[in-house]
Amino acid sequence: MILFVLSYLGGVLTIISPCILPVLPFVFARADQPFLRSGLPMLIGMAVTFAGVATLAAVGGGWAVQANGLGRIVALAVLALFGLLLLFPSLADRATRPLVAMGARLSRSAEGDMGGSSATFSASLLLGVATGLLWAPCAGPVLGLVLTGAALNGASAHTSLLLLAYALGAATSLALALLVGGKVFAAMKRSIGLGNGVRRVLGVAVLAGVAAIALGLDTGLLTCLSLSGTAQVEERLLARFRPGTPAASAMRAGRPELGDEGAFPSLAGASEWMNSPPLSAEALRGKVVLVDFWTYSCINCLRSLPYVRAWAEKYKDQGLVVIGVHAPEFAFEKNPANVSRAIRDLGISYPVALDNDRAIWRAFQNLYWPAHYFIDGKGRIRYHHFGEGDYAESERVIQRLLAENGNAPPSLEVVAVKGSGVGEAPQKATNRSPETYLGYSRGERFASAGGYVPDRPHSYVLGQLPGRNDWGLAGSWTAGPEFVSLDAAGGRIAFRFHARDLHLVLGPGPQGRPVRFRVTVDGKAPSGDHGMDADAAGQGTVTTQRLYQLVRQQGTVTDRTFTIEFLDPGVQAFAFTFG
């Protein structure tokens, strides 16, 4: 229920987001009409259509992307016609073709010329559907949470209802604005007689909105502007109400407050266990257990792993059992050989369950990487922590649970861990770039000319990146739902970023052949700013499917343009992360 409330409130907040600007003209074009017969059906059509399209976009494949693209073209044509008819009423009077006649009826409906309430309702609903096909709200923290959950867990009624709640929140704020706007427009027409002038102004606004959407401003410039707008408000909402965030964890007198969050869920369903035979909740009764959900290409998980390893080693003689639940995000992370290699390279010696089907993930009702669940000797979950940080507090939970179990540790000192390489703590104060997926199912801020061409080879062209956090492809690539793959040597990926560290999840092609690459920062070799997987000249090789650290800046962090050129074909690129 809390997530539904958050989704609704996130939608309400879109009224103060720049991303709502392109659809405002379509809404206010009906501001002087009766709300129940004109404005309300339009908002209903907009909300329901957005929820349906967003559900498909979150879980669908290339066919959904292509279908939505065609729908946007049709919607742009309908609304452009609507704008022209508002701007030039004489066009409607001379219309003879069926499509123009339909547009004329829509235009007359907007002005109240269609006498029947049923006709007005239907016309408004149709315009709402068209607007819903075009609306691309900025993916702030709340919408990002919903879409990520949809992508991870697949299509469900729950996903669609969350998206509908978000859309209804936006419709609510727009309805209030429309009610106020309607009174203002009515007063203007009564007192000044500007009916035709208002109509023409609205026609210009509608056409400007169509042009903004057609040029991609609704998903480009306006998205960037909104990152510093509603995102902070949404983050505060999530911190206050969302269960399972560090901010939501109970604290008393500066220390974690232990509660009872339910029984130890089942560990059944793992496809394989590593470093141990299969374990069960029943067999672990009497032990203090830390369950760590992770996946080996997740930078946040890699930063927290040094602490988990240290706890496992320090408290094993007092009865602590650490279990790593490897819940893959990408398909290559389901490969046991890849996971086994990562476990060896990362120095993990405690038991690891391969949760390829997310059975354990669902049993815990988990949503995050990393996620730490602390379970007492009676088999009850007493505390949880999601994400990085708060390591001292988490260790004190372990100490208290061990003491409750009759095995108080000899020292209450906390471990001193200094991560290195990708495990080094992020520089949060200077990180202004978000995790960015490259596959079309979750890709954002893609700046190559013409956008994605799903599931087939395409020669992409990339000019200068227009703004921070924009990225694009150059060369011959095939864009899939999860990753982009290079079809011919010489392809490039560029990203305009602002962070100390830049990482990219990469892998060789299906044949596993190494792929050489060359990195530049602002067109030059990185020199002292190279990451651990590239040398000072920017050269490196993709040999396995994992996260590669390509940039670690040593000096002042500013906006920089990162470019990686692949000298061999076949590479697969999944996601950027920063720190």
Side-chain angles (χ1 to χ4, degrees):
M1 178 57 71
I2 291 177
L3 196 51
F4 282 101
V5 173
L6 283 171
S7 297
Y8 179 81
L9 292 176
V12 170
L13 288 172
T14 59
I15 194 66
I16 60 173
S17 166
C19 290
I20 202 67
L21 294 178
V23 303
L24 287 180
F26 312 136
V27 175
F28 282 107
R30 318 188 73 70
D32 61 342
Q33 297 301 304
F35 178 76
L36 292 179
R37 291 191 292 111
S38 182
L40 180 61
M42 181 181 188
L43 294 175
I44 291 174
M46 174 182 167
V48 173
T49 302
F50 166 75
V53 169
T55 300
L56 290 176
V59 300
W63 66 271
V65 175
Q66 293 171 356
N68 187 38
L70 293 174
R72 286 173 67 87
I73 293 173
V74 173
L76 283 171
V78 170
L79 290 172
L81 178 60
F82 175 56
L84 287 171
L85 293 171
L86 284 171
L87 188 59
F88 304 109
S90 59
L91 290 179
D93 298 332
R94 296 196 301 267
T96 56
R97 296 181 180 180
L99 183 60
V100 178
M102 180 186 71
R105 288 195 297 271
L106 290 176
S107 179
R108 288 196 298 271
S109 176
E111 291 300 311
D113 293 339
M114 296 181 69
S117 62
S118 176
T120 302
F121 187 97
S122 300
S124 299
L125 188 66
L126 177 60
L127 284 177
V129 169
T131 305
L133 286 169
L134 298 179
W135 182 37
C138 304
V142 171
L143 186 57
L145 175 66
V146 175
L147 292 176
T148 298
L152 293 177
N153 299 316
S156 68
H158 185 262
T159 293
S160 297
L161 289 174
L162 285 173
L163 290 167
L164 183 59
Y166 184 93
L168 289 176
T172 300
S173 55
L174 286 172
L176 294 174
L178 187 56
L179 288 170
V180 173
K183 294 179 180 179
V184 173
F185 276 30
M188 290 175 62
K189 293 178 73 173
R190 284 195 305 269
S191 60
I192 316 177
L194 293 180
N196 288 333
V198 168
R199 176 191 177 115
R200 290 189 171 90
V201 169
L202 287 173
V204 171
V206 167
L207 292 175
V210 170
I213 293 171
L215 293 173
L217 295 181
D218 59 326
T219 55
L221 173 62
L222 296 179
T223 299
C224 297
L225 290 175
S226 81
L227 289 176
S228 59
T230 63
Q232 293 181 352
V233 180
E234 291 186 31
E235 287 286 7
R236 287 195 290 269
L237 281 173
L238 288 173
R240 183 174 180 83
F241 295 111
R242 182 175 64 189
T245 63
S249 299
M251 301 286 289
R252 178 179 293 176
R255 68 174 190 168
E257 181 68 16
L258 302 184
D260 187 337
E261 302 179 8
F264 191 166
S266 173
L267 295 175
S271 58
E272 187 175 338
W273 283 79
M274 294 184 175
N275 294 340
S276 167
L279 300 176
S280 68
E282 294 76 15
L284 291 166
R285 187 67 61 90
K287 299 285 189 180
V288 174
V289 180
L290 167 60
V291 175
D292 171 28
F293 284 90
W294 70 294
T295 186
Y296 81 82
S297 74
C298 166
I299 185 61
N300 311 94
C301 301
L302 295 176
R303 290 173 184 148
S304 68
L305 272 175
Y307 292 89
V308 178
R309 288 199 309 264
W311 296 334
E313 180 63 27
K314 180 178 178 180
Y315 298 108
K316 63 182 180 181
D317 293 336
Q318 280 73 46
L320 175 68
V321 176
V322 175
I323 299 174
V325 178
H326 187 271
E329 181 176 16
F330 300 116
F332 67 81
E333 293 173 311
K334 295 183 178 182
N335 186 327
N338 287 347
V339 181
S340 178
R341 184 187 304 111
I343 288 174
R344 182 180 65 252
D345 293 344
L346 294 168
I348 296 173
S349 58
Y350 50 80
V352 175
L354 274 60
D355 193 25
N356 284 353
D357 297 323
R358 295 245 176 87
I360 304 174
W361 176 284
R362 290 192 297 272
F364 275 80
Q365 298 183 355
N366 185 53
L367 292 173
Y368 310 100
W369 296 281
H372 299 148
Y373 295 88
F374 301 82
I375 300 160
D376 66 16
K378 298 178 181 178
R380 308 296 297 181
I381 299 176
R382 300 291 300 282
Y383 190 77
H384 62 261
H385 185 278
F386 297 161
E388 301 178 60
D390 297 331
Y391 299 114
E393 289 80 358
S394 293
E395 185 171 356
R396 293 190 181 99
V397 170
I398 294 173
Q399 294 172 349
R400 291 170 63 189
L401 293 180
L402 289 172
E404 286 183 9
N405 211 38
N407 294 293
S411 170
L412 296 182
E413 294 289 330
V414 297
V415 297
V417 172
K418 182 173 177 58
S420 60
V422 295
E424 186 171 334
Q427 198 174 78
K428 294 182 179 180
T430 59
N431 184 7
R432 299 175 189 171
S433 291
E435 181 176 19
T436 301
Y437 295 92
L438 306 191
Y440 61 71
S441 66
R442 287 189 280 174
E444 295 181 289
R445 298 177 294 276
F446 183 55
S448 291
Y452 282 112
V453 177
D455 299 319
R456 62 184 177 85
H458 179 72
S459 182
Y460 288 92
V461 177
L462 179 64
Q464 185 175 1
L465 294 172
R468 179 192 297 166
N469 300 325
D470 289 329
W471 70 278
L473 303 172
S476 181
W477 295 83
T478 296
E482 188 175 80
F483 58 84
V484 294
S485 59
L486 181 61
D487 301 309
R492 293 179 291 117
I493 306 175
F495 197 113
R496 185 72 174 165
F497 76 105
H498 189 118
R500 181 194 67 189
D501 301 339
L502 179 146
H503 313 93
L504 184 54
V505 179
L506 297 166
Q511 287 74 36
R513 296 171 182 167
V515 177
R516 297 167 298 154
F517 63 78
R518 181 169 52 240
V519 165
T520 61
V521 178
D522 292 338
K524 302 176 182 179
S527 188
D529 290 336
H530 69 90
M532 62 182 296
D533 292 303
D535 61 20
Q539 296 178 345
T541 304
V542 178
T543 55
T544 60
Q545 295 165 315
R546 63 176 177 86
L547 180 143
Y548 289 75
Q549 186 188 79
L550 302 175
V551 175
R552 167 156 287 174
Q553 298 191 69
Q554 303 301 314
T556 303
V557 174
T558 61
D559 285 5
R560 311 289 293 273
T561 298
F562 163 87
T563 303
I564 181 169
E565 180 182 5
F566 297 98
L567 308 181
D568 305 295
V571 74
Q572 297 175 343
F574 294 81
F576 282 98
T577 59
F578 303 89

